[in-house]
Amino acid sequence: NISNLVYLWMITVDIITCTSAFHFGIGRLFPVMATPFFLRYPGFCNVFGFLYNISSRLSVFLVALQSILRSLSLVYPFRVPRKRIIVKIIVLMGIVNMVQATIPYWRSKTYRS
C-alpha cells in the first residue's frame, strides 16, 4: 500500500529529525558537560547539522506528498496510484535535498550550531 510506504518514510524522517536535534538539547540542559564534548569534535556538529537540514526538508516534502495523494484519492476514488512513480518521486527529492545540503561543503564551509 502506497500510503503505508509514505507513512513509514515520514516516521523515519521524524526519528532522524529528533535524533539530529538531540545534541542541541543536551547543550542547553547540561552546558558544562556538553560544550567540551561537542566543541572538541567539529565533525560531530557537521553531521548533525547535515542530517537536520535534510530531514526537515524531507519531512515537509513527505507531508505535501501525502496531502497530494489524499486529494487524488478523493478526486479519483477508484484509481490506484502507481507505487513505482511515487517511489521515484521520493528518491528524486531525496537526491535533490542531498545535493542542496552538501553545497556548503563545496565551498569548505561548515554547519554551526
Side-chain angles (χ1 to χ4, degrees), residues 31-93:
V32 175
M33 179 183 78
T35 304
F37 179 73
F38 292 124
L39 293 180
R40 190 177 310 149
Y41 306 108
F44 193 71
C45 287
N46 286 333
V47 168
F48 277 110
F50 180 76
L51 286 176
Y52 186 77
N53 191 357
I54 288 177
S55 62
S56 60
R57 291 179 189 193
L58 280 177
S59 179
V60 171
F61 167 72
L62 288 173
V63 170
L65 182 66
Q66 186 67 27
S67 298
I68 291 168
L69 289 175
R70 286 180 183 167
S71 299
L72 286 174
S73 69
L74 289 174
V75 173
Y76 305 107
F78 299 112
R79 188 172 154 195
V80 178
R82 294 183 184 166
K83 186 176 184 180
R84 187 173 38 177
I85 293 173
I86 303 300
V87 170
K88 285 180 183 179
I89 290 171
I90 291 172
V91 169
L92 179 66
M93 189 61 182

Side-chain angles (χ1 to χ4, degrees), residues 94-106:
I95 291 170
V96 168
N97 278 329
M98 287 267 214
V99 170
Q100 287 178 343
T102 57
I103 288 174
Y105 294 111
W106 298 351

